[in-house]
Amino acid sequence: MKYRDSGMPNEEMWSNFFNPSAILKEMEVDNSINTLLDIGCGYGTFLIPESKIVKSKVVGIDIDREMTDICQKKILEKKIENVELLTGDVSNPNIFEKIKKIQPIIDYITLFNILHCEDPIKLLQSVFNLLQSKGKIGVIHWKYEKTPRGPAMEIRPKPEQIIDWSTSAGFKTEKMLDLPP
């Protein structure tokens, strides 16, 4: 089941919204990271650049089979060997167990534009339980203002909500960035 209001625009439109390399640099994704888990990997907009940065492995997961199929095709075309893909919801116990097998080495988890889901605290708690003890998460979400895409304003979280949810899940906010769009 997809998260509410989570349809992706066409890939060309989506790719014009972000500068993945610059954003990843701002989010301190670098070669000191052994294993990164990209939750909601979509078209691979961030997944592909992440695979070129991290020391060891990137695991991409998306709830939509079409998205992971698109990523798989790109990975094969670009001959990328350090990416593993999963289709499913990280809050699902079966998927959680698959990811948990690599838990000891997950030191960074990204959550891009998915905290408008039905139960963001449950999602963040699942993420907290997957991350190694000194690991970090990087969260991007649509600004709480009119944007060219994104979920409806009534389910779009404000930055303060994301911080509150993250804190209740066990995280400590170290840094907040204002990134486009």
Side-chain angles (χ1 to χ4, degrees), residues 140-158:
I140 291 179
H141 211 286
W142 295 102
K143 291 183 178 188
Y144 193 78
E145 61 188 48
K146 187 170 171 51
T147 56
R149 282 292 297 187
M153 295 303 289
E154 54 271 5
I155 64 168
R156 189 181 300 202
K158 296 177 182 176

Side-chain angles (χ1 to χ4, degrees), residues 22-36:
I23 290 171
L24 292 171
K25 185 175 181 178
E26 286 284 332
M27 295 178 72
E28 300 175 5
V29 173
D30 58 35
N31 65 358
S32 69
I33 296 167
N34 285 306
T35 302
L36 183 145

Side-chain angles (χ1 to χ4, degrees), residues 159-160 163 173-179:
E160 302 80 27
I163 291 169
T173 303
E174 292 183 6
K175 183 175 173 180
M176 192 167 119
L177 304 168
D178 187 17
L179 302 168

Side-chain angles (χ1 to χ4, degrees), residues 13-133:
M13 175 188 245
W14 185 252
S15 67
N16 288 321
F17 291 151
F18 308 103
N19 178 339
S21 297
I23 290 171
L24 292 171
K25 185 175 181 178
E26 286 284 332
M27 295 178 72
E28 300 175 5
V29 173
D30 58 35
N31 65 358
S32 69
I33 296 167
N34 285 306
T35 302
L36 183 145
L37 176 62
D38 183 334
I39 299 175
C41 62
Y43 292 114
T45 306
F46 291 92
L47 181 80
I48 303 299
E50 291 162 350
S51 73
K52 296 173 184 173
I53 298 170
V54 301
K55 193 182 301 181
S56 182
K57 183 179 192 175
V58 176
V59 178
I61 181 168
D62 202 285
I63 209 159
D64 186 342
R65 165 69 66 192
E66 182 182 357
M67 294 293 109
T68 53
D69 287 348
I70 289 169
C71 285
Q72 184 63 46
K73 183 178 176 193
K74 290 178 182 180
I75 289 163
L76 292 172
E77 286 172 358
K78 296 176 185 285
K79 298 181 170 108
I80 298 171
E81 297 180 3
N82 66 333
V83 174
E84 183 177 332
L85 293 170
L86 296 168
T87 302
D89 181 348
V90 72
S91 300
N92 176 300
N94 294 330
I95 297 296
F96 183 83
E97 287 305 314
K98 284 183 182 179
I99 297 169
K100 200 163 172 69
K101 290 178 183 174
I102 58 168
Q103 176 187 10
I105 56 171
I106 297 175
D107 45 7
Y108 201 107
I109 298 177
T110 60
L111 296 158
F112 294 156
N113 299 317
I114 61 172
L115 287 179
H116 59 279
C117 63
E118 289 79 355
D119 194 346
I121 295 172
K122 180 180 177 187
L123 174 60
L124 286 163
Q125 287 169 336
S126 293
V127 168
F128 185 82
N129 291 328
L130 288 169
L131 196 61
Q132 69 159 295
S133 63

